Amino acid sequence: VSRGEKERAFGVYRLLSHSIENHAFACQLQGDLYFSFDDIEGALAKYFDAAHLYEEEERYLEAAAVYENLLSLKPDAVRNREKIITLYQ
């Protein structure tokens, strides 16, 4: 990532993702990679996937943390603020 080699970074991610049993975390990691390469739309999509999976697993603090990342990318998104409040309750 630090050298700007997007294809190589995603290749390593694909190899690593097979050993990660936590699918939500794998989505979050993929979102981080997209964000690192300034692909905001890709990051948003993967962060939404991760947050949804965390919610399904009833891991609300992790879901809230992902929504906080989403909020930093789209600060005007009221839905993300509402989700964070609901998850922390």
Side-chain angles (χ1 to χ4, degrees):
V1 172
S2 65
R3 289 187 260 168
E5 298 178 22
K6 185 175 184 176
E7 293 304 317
R8 184 179 240 174
F10 277 96
V12 171
Y13 164 77
R14 281 188 284 280
L15 289 173
L16 178 64
S17 67
H18 293 293
S19 65
I20 299 173
E21 292 182 19
N22 183 342
H23 190 62
F25 179 71
C27 284
Q28 184 178 358
L29 182 59
Q30 192 174 10
D32 291 342
L33 280 173
Y34 280 119
F35 180 71
S36 296
F37 290 106
D38 296 321
D39 183 347
I40 303 304
E41 292 305 313
L44 288 170
K46 285 302 166 182
Y47 285 149
F48 274 121
D49 290 346
H52 179 72
L53 290 169
Y54 279 132
E55 284 183 81
E56 283 182 347
E57 297 171 3
E58 298 181 1
R59 297 175 64 184
Y60 301 120
L61 291 178
E62 288 93 339
V66 173
Y67 277 110
E68 287 177 11
N69 281 346
L70 286 164
L71 195 58
S72 70
L73 294 174
K74 289 187 89 170
D76 57 336
V78 175
R79 179 182 175 274
N80 294 340
R81 292 176 194 269
E82 292 170 347
K83 288 298 274 185
I84 291 170
I85 291 168
T86 301
L87 290 167
Y88 279 128
Q89 287 177 344

